[in-house]
């Protein structure tokens, strides 16, 4: 049964809300999977905290145009498309890669990805797996910031103990 205008608007608003809440948007082709494989893939995405849905390309296109900033991925909205949305930019890629490996399949295939404004093509799955999330990047920055301080404290402590040993040796010489 065809959707009326209001129902279509609700779906488009749902997609816009999903786009606003997720900085990582993956466009995939999962057509050709059996029902069992599709369910397995959906469960894998769900377990990883990734939203995975099949929408009409027209609805996704309208939502992306309404939100703005997705112009470079609009041309990938052709043929069967499933959308994976995540707060962690690497999660969908990791799920897809593991699913392909575990099931010895070629589907789902990546059509493209949009991550915080950066666009990746269908050949970028291996690159996307290695992208660090915000928490990982923040941890790396904190480690880098703390490293010089630890070196300074270590240097001062080392110099202080060495200086103390020299003074003690000199004092022992004078006493003798």
């Amino acid at each position: 049964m065809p959707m009326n205008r209001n129902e279509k608007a609700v779906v488009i608003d749902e997609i816009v809300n999903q786009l606003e809440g997720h900085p990582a948007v993956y466009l995939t082709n999962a057509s050709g999977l059996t029902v069992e494989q599709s369910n397995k893939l959906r469960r894998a995405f769900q377990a990883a905290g990734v939203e995975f849905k099949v929408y009409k390309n027209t609805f996704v296109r309208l939502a992306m145009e309404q939100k703005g900033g997705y112009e470079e991925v609009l041309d990938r909205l052709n043929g069967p498309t499933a959308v994976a949305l995540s707060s962690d930019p690497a999660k969908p890629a990791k799920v897809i890669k593991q699913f392909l490996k575990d099931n010895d399949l070629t589907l789902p295939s990546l059509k493209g990805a949009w991550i915080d404004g950066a666009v990746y093509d269908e050949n970028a799955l291996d690159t996307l797996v290695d992208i660090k999330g915000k928490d990982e990047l923040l941890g790396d920055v904190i480690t880098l910031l703390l490293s010089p301080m630890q070196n300074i404290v270590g240097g001062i402590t080392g110099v202080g103990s060495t200086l103390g040993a020299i003074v003690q040796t000199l004092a022992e010489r004078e006493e003798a």
Side-chain angles (χ1 to χ4, degrees):
M1 183 167 127
M3 298 173 87
N4 66 36
R5 186 173 288 222
N6 291 335
E7 292 170 330
K8 291 176 183 178
V10 168
V11 173
I12 292 169
D13 287 343
E14 174 188 325
I15 298 168
V16 168
N17 289 334
Q18 290 283 7
L19 293 174
E20 288 174 353
H22 299 94
V25 179
Y26 283 64
L27 302 175
T28 66
N29 176 8
S31 70
L33 292 177
T34 65
V35 172
E36 181 183 341
Q37 291 167 336
S38 293
N39 290 337
K40 200 174 190 181
L41 178 62
R42 287 177 192 278
R43 283 191 297 274
F45 275 124
Q46 186 178 24
V50 176
E51 298 285 330
F52 184 71
K53 278 197 140 179
V54 176
Y55 292 109
K56 285 184 134 191
N57 288 332
T58 306
F59 293 162
V60 176
R61 180 175 282 108
L62 289 170
M64 286 181 163
E65 288 172 351
Q66 183 177 333
K67 176 130 175 22
Y70 295 89
E71 292 77 19
E72 292 184 54
V73 294
L74 293 177
D75 64 330
R76 300 174 200 294
L77 290 170
N78 51 44
T81 304
V83 182
L85 301 124
S86 177
S87 298
D88 181 339
K91 279 274 182 158
K94 289 176 181 176
V95 170
I96 292 169
K97 189 153 179 141
Q98 191 64 46
F99 184 82
L100 295 173
K101 180 182 171 191
D102 290 348
N103 297 286
D104 195 29
L105 295 170
T106 58
L107 290 173
S109 61
L110 180 67
K111 292 172 95 173
W114 182 94
I115 299 172
D116 284 329
V119 177
Y120 297 86
D121 67 11
E122 63 277 358
N123 300 315
L125 190 61
D126 290 331
T127 302
L128 292 168
V129 168
D130 296 330
I131 288 180
K132 291 185 177 187
K134 289 180 183 178
D135 292 339
E136 290 175 290
L137 289 174
L138 186 59
D140 288 351
V141 169
I142 290 171
T143 301
L144 289 172
L145 291 174
L146 290 177
S147 179
M149 287 188 238
Q150 291 171 340
N151 290 340
I152 291 170
V153 170
I156 291 171
T157 306
V159 169
S161 64
T162 305
L163 185 58
I166 291 172
V167 170
Q168 184 178 3
T169 303
L170 290 174
E172 289 172 359
R173 280 187 186 170
E174 285 185 17
E175 291 176 4

